[in-house]
Amino acid sequence: MRILLLSLIFTTVVNAQTNYSVSSIDGPLKENANAVVRLDETIVEITAKNKMQVTNHRVITILKKAGENSIKPYAFYSPNTKITNILALVYNDQGEEIEKIKKKDFYDISAVDGGTLYGDSRVKVFRYTPTSYPYTVDFTYTYTTPNTAFLPRWMPIDDYMVSVEKSSFNMKIIESLQWRKKEKNFKDYDIINNSSKSVISYEMNQIPAQKKEALSPSFYYYEPQLMIALNEFHLEGVDGYAKDWESMGNWQFKSLLADRDQLPEHTVRLITEKLSGITDREEKIKKIYEYVQNNTRYISVQLGIGGWQPIAAEEVDRVKYGDCKGLTNYTKALLKSQGIESYYSVVHAGKSKLGMEKDFAIMQGNHVILNVPNQENDIWLECTSQKIPFGFLGDFTDDRDVLVIKPSGGEIKHTHKYLNDNNLQKTVGEMVVTDTGGITANLEIETYGIQYDKHAEVLSMSEKDKNDYYTEYWNNINGLSIGETIFDHDKNNIKLTEKITLSAQSYVTKMGNDLLFKPNAFNANKYVPNRYSDRKLSFEIDRGYTDNDEIDIKLPINYKLGKLPSPVIITSEFGNYEMSLEKISENQLRYKRKIQLKSGLYDKSKYDGYRDFRKKIKKYDNTKIVLSKIPQGQPTKHLK
């Protein structure tokens, strides 16, 4: 009887809306929109802490190709999460059905990447290639799962440039279970709340698309979200309890980490011998970290509870591989064997710097790193990389709140920030300008912080890829030819030095007998953000940085300099800029430039000021100098 009832609900949901013609969409919803969500409905029923059913019904009209990312044509499953119904329908712009994609027509593929050794997650995906725009996709599926540690979130607006006709969320929870919720970014929207003690019900209608503006923060920081968590839950055969971060960490330590840090005696002896004579605590931590880097490799394991529980340290020691969980736990165990306490820490990894919800404990995160308390300057270790320097995180896990799991419970800590002057690039070198308009140069580029993180990618490139990388890096120089490249990778100081020789046949512009060239050949900033007559959103300088450039320029001896521009100093709340050209001799200049950009979230009222700052930088970075040809018969002054 229950199966028949669920089937009836599924059929009703699929056929609840019949008019999907594009003409039926209100005009304001089409403005600034790549896609319009006609209906986004989530129905959740939790009948026990280990029993949940979810139906997702999503109808979306794709107005143009850029909107196709919002289709979300997939449904994940695993041995414990089973898809019971799935169907996709496609309609043309008149709302007429043109294709039906049944369960047998879905592609069934692994949901884990090539670096995963073990993984049981899979995904059903449908593919539709449109012959014209607009068109509409109606996608419905139902799944059942015993896993209630992660409950569906209500996120009624997809992204910038997507409008919404209707979005609803309904969750029924058996009365014996306690639950918590958090409403985030609700204040700017008209949201209908029909919730009761055991039913959570929200609805949102007629939301126009928000146009994306230059430097807009991630949509995640604006979008309304409803988060729900059970105090008692289930995860892949393991029961859990959490009402705050302390209890969440306590459960994870006892249920997922305890007794998984045992090591063979011979390994403990080996590490003890390697640290013999070392008295400095930080040096011991570094040696153990380097041991892990040199003796293990990263392979993901996503099998059942193994998706959340680390492989035992003893097993990692035996096979010499592990995923982020296993390698972090292994490093933790090695440190513990030497009397050094450290903590397994769960993080949202990725360049968008998402952090844990500090005031709402919920299963979160997609990666694990290690926290080593070190007075006021904690050490953070990325244990999956064989190349990353000791104590360096990079833009994958820096500057965000993470869950640090201690035996006593969980604690939210913030990872290291790389701010402004920490992200330093120093470029020094010599450039020779030829009388035929070409240049040759020897450069030395030092990078630190996040700038180091970006430049260090070149270390693992092939010769061809290196050449392509530098050609693109200096794409302002036509006909660029890269010569010798030498790298000095100082992992102790987290610094990369690149020594590069290069040449180009026609960098300088000829004007009759004169030459016109830009002294800033190697770090000219061209970016100026778009102009808006009525900006709607705040703007963000995501990562500040500092660049220092000093280039000595040798000029052809049969040319003379015109008047040099005066030094430039610009000071603003967004950063500072300095530029100068100094005449060293008749045929030699010294170009100096410094730019500092300050990270931060700024009010929209300051946008025009920031744009003006960037316009000035572009102007002065584009400074040109005229070299006048000395007539034949006149004496020339040679370089000293």
Side-chain angles (χ1 to χ4, degrees):
M1 182 68 179
R2 179 172 176 79
I3 293 175
L4 180 61
L5 178 61
L6 292 178
S7 178
L8 180 62
I9 291 173
F10 181 85
T11 304
T12 302
V13 167
V14 169
N15 295 307
Q17 167 68 282
T18 56
N19 184 11
Y20 292 143
S21 66
V22 176
S23 62
S24 66
I25 301 173
D26 286 350
L29 295 185
K30 298 177 185 178
E31 294 179 11
N32 302 320
N34 294 324
V36 180
V37 176
R38 315 295 295 274
L39 175 67
D40 189 13
E41 184 174 31
T42 302
I43 301 171
V44 185
E45 185 176 9
I46 301 172
T47 54
K49 67 180 177 183
N50 63 346
K51 196 168 186 180
M52 177 171 68
Q53 176 181 277
V54 181
T55 295
N56 289 314
H57 182 202
R58 182 176 177 83
V59 184
I60 185 167
T61 295
I62 308 303
L63 300 176
K64 58 189 75 171
K65 186 174 179 61
E68 290 185 342
N69 289 335
S70 294
I71 295 176
K72 302 179 182 178
Y74 44 76
F76 291 92
Y77 73 99
S78 66
N80 285 327
T81 297
K82 302 183 183 299
I83 297 173
T84 58
N85 289 291
I86 190 166
L87 177 68
L89 304 172
V90 183
Y91 301 89
N92 63 17
D93 62 339
Q94 301 299 313
E96 300 165 338
E97 182 182 317
I98 55 176
E99 188 161 342
K100 178 180 287 189
I101 304 169
K102 299 180 180 180
K103 187 174 184 178
K104 64 181 178 61
D105 302 317
F106 280 70
Y107 293 88
D108 192 315
I109 60 178
S110 173
V112 296
D113 59 33
T116 301
L117 181 62
Y118 304 116
D120 56 9
S121 294
R122 298 191 67 80
V123 60
K124 287 189 176 294
V125 182
F126 70 85
R127 296 169 185 165
Y128 172 73
T129 303
T131 55
S132 62
Y133 297 90
Y135 66 96
T136 298
V137 176
D138 180 347
F139 178 37
T140 309
Y141 67 96
T142 298
Y143 68 88
T144 60
T145 180
N147 297 321
T148 56
F150 293 90
L151 300 185
R153 291 190 185 189
W154 186 47
M155 303 168 74
I157 307 176
D158 282 10
D159 203 345
Y160 295 112
M161 315 295 283
V162 179
S163 59
V164 180
E165 277 191 344
K166 179 179 180 179
S167 178
S168 67
F169 181 90
N170 291 277
M171 177 182 287
K172 184 176 182 180
I173 303 174
I174 189 171
E175 290 187 4
S176 60
L177 294 176
Q178 293 183 325
W179 52 272
R180 297 169 284 112
K181 70 175 181 179
K182 179 179 180 180
E183 299 173 347
K184 187 173 181 179
N185 298 330
F186 271 32
K187 61 182 178 63
D188 295 329
Y189 297 93
D190 184 13
I191 296 174
I192 303 169
N193 183 353
N194 291 319
S195 302
S196 62
K197 183 178 179 180
S198 59
V199 176
I200 304 164
S201 178
Y202 287 83
E203 184 178 318
M204 197 175 184
N205 299 287
Q206 300 299 113
I207 309 300
Q210 172 67 63
K211 187 175 182 180
K212 185 173 177 60
E213 298 171 328
L215 303 174
S216 299
S218 168
F219 191 72
Y220 179 86
Y221 295 102
Y222 291 113
E223 66 179 327
Q225 296 182 51
L226 175 68
M227 290 168 272
I228 304 167
L230 299 178
N231 286 356
E232 294 180 76
F233 51 85
H234 185 84
L235 178 65
E236 296 291 352
V238 178
D239 287 336
Y241 174 83
K243 64 177 182 179
D244 51 30
W245 284 120
E246 182 180 0
S247 54
M248 174 68 79
N250 184 264
W251 166 71
Q252 291 199 31
F253 182 85
K254 290 180 178 179
S255 299
L256 304 180
L257 302 181
D259 301 322
R260 303 190 73 78
D261 58 0
Q262 306 302 310
L263 291 167
E265 290 185 9
H266 66 83
T267 298
V268 176
R269 286 196 302 269
L270 175 64
I271 296 299
T272 303
E273 291 171 4
K274 286 183 175 294
L275 301 185
S276 178
I278 300 175
T279 58
D280 182 76
R281 177 176 177 272
E282 189 167 329
E283 185 64 21
K284 288 182 179 181
I285 299 169
K286 182 179 179 182
K287 290 294 183 185
I288 290 173
Y289 179 70
E290 290 174 345
Y291 174 82
V292 174
Q293 286 187 306
N294 294 331
N295 290 275
T296 64
R297 58 196 173 97
Y298 171 81
I299 294 181
S300 180
V301 177
Q302 304 291 339
L303 191 65
I305 194 62
W308 313 106
Q309 184 178 59
I311 305 169
E314 194 169 19
E315 180 67 6
V316 174
D317 187 79
R318 183 182 70 83
V319 300
K320 306 303 180 188
Y321 62 73
D323 60 8
C324 64
K325 304 178 296 295
L327 294 176
T328 298
N329 182 63
Y330 181 56
T331 308
K332 173 178 172 289
L334 292 172
L335 289 169
K336 182 181 178 181
S337 76
Q338 303 302 308
I340 300 172
E341 194 72 22
S342 61
Y343 304 119
Y344 186 95
S345 302
V346 184
V347 58
H348 273 295
K351 295 186 178 182
S352 58
K353 294 198 290 189
L354 297 183
M356 298 290 178
E357 298 289 336
K358 294 181 72 171
D359 59 351
F360 189 73
I362 189 171
M363 284 291 287
Q364 291 178 271
N366 58 4
H367 189 54
V368 174
I369 56 179
L370 193 64
N371 171 247
V372 187
N374 190 40
Q375 297 180 353
E376 299 300 316
N377 188 26
D378 283 8
I379 298 169
W380 297 93
L381 299 177
E382 170 56 71
C383 300
T384 61
S385 172
Q386 296 171 311
K387 299 176 182 179
I388 195 169
F390 169 76
F392 183 72
L393 290 180
D395 63 7
F396 194 54
T397 53
D398 73 316
D399 192 16
R400 66 203 74 190
D401 288 330
V402 304
L403 173 62
V404 176
I405 300 173
K406 301 179 178 181
S408 58
E411 178 184 347
I412 299 296
K413 284 189 174 183
H414 201 84
T415 57
H416 183 71
K417 296 181 181 181
Y418 300 96
L419 296 175
N420 308 334
D421 287 343
N422 300 135
N423 304 320
L424 174 64
Q425 175 178 297
K426 295 168 63 178
T427 303
V428 297
E430 293 183 344
M431 178 170 71
V432 177
V433 180
T434 69
D435 56 6
T436 60
I439 59 169
T440 61
N442 295 305
L443 301 177
E444 186 172 295
I445 304 172
E446 287 182 6
T447 47
Y448 304 80
I450 298 302
Q451 299 227 59
Y452 156 88
D453 196 25
K454 294 177 179 178
H455 281 248
E457 297 175 0
V458 74
L459 294 172
S460 58
M461 291 181 183
S462 66
E463 288 301 316
K464 179 183 182 303
D465 288 343
K466 273 190 281 190
N467 187 77
D468 292 343
Y469 167 81
Y470 286 116
T471 301
E472 176 60 27
Y473 188 74
W474 290 303
N475 60 14
N476 59 301
I477 304 177
N478 294 326
L480 179 67
S481 176
I482 303 299
E484 186 178 30
T485 56
I486 300 173
F487 305 116
D488 179 8
H489 190 196
D490 183 354
K491 295 178 73 172
N492 289 328
N493 293 302
I494 313 181
K495 177 182 75 171
L496 175 65
T497 304
E498 304 161 75
K499 298 179 180 179
I500 306 146
T501 63
L502 57 87
S503 62
Q505 295 297 317
S506 56
Y507 174 72
V508 179
T509 301
K510 291 187 175 182
M511 301 188 307
N513 290 327
D514 296 339
L515 300 178
L516 180 70
F517 85 104
K518 292 188 292 186
N520 188 354
F522 308 113
N523 201 10
N525 201 317
K526 300 177 183 178
Y527 176 70
V528 176
N530 295 339
R531 181 181 177 276
Y532 300 97
S533 58
D534 182 23
R535 187 176 175 98
K536 304 296 185 184
L537 302 173
S538 57
F539 67 99
E540 183 178 30
I541 301 174
D542 186 34
R543 296 187 182 277
Y545 65 87
T546 300
D547 282 358
N548 282 332
D549 305 313
E550 184 172 319
I551 307 293
D552 283 348
I553 305 170
K554 295 182 179 180
L555 308 174
I557 59 174
N558 52 341
Y559 285 81
K560 64 179 180 180
L561 278 169
K563 184 179 179 181
L564 294 180
S566 301
V568 176
I569 299 177
I570 305 172
T571 302
S572 84
E573 65 176 304
F574 313 109
N576 305 296
Y577 178 85
E578 298 177 19
M579 187 277 287
S580 66
L581 276 162
E582 179 185 1
K583 183 176 180 180
I584 304 301
S585 69
E586 289 299 320
N587 298 96
Q588 187 168 353
L589 294 174
R590 179 163 295 153
Y591 175 78
K592 289 185 179 181
R593 170 188 180 269
K594 180 178 181 180
I595 178 173
Q596 181 197 54
L597 203 62
K598 297 178 182 178
S599 62
L601 184 64
Y602 297 89
D603 186 80
K604 63 181 182 181
S605 63
K606 298 181 178 181
Y607 182 78
D608 287 344
Y610 177 66
R611 186 170 182 274
D612 184 61
F613 178 57
R614 295 305 298 248
K615 284 174 65 178
K616 290 177 180 177
I617 292 172
K618 179 181 178 181
K619 172 185 173 181
Y620 291 114
D621 271 5
N622 198 45
T623 296
K624 297 180 177 67
I625 292 176
V626 176
L627 301 179
S628 299
K629 183 73 177 288
I630 299 173
Q632 289 187 354
Q634 286 192 15
T636 58
K637 296 184 178 180
H638 293 265
L639 294 175
K640 296 180 179 178

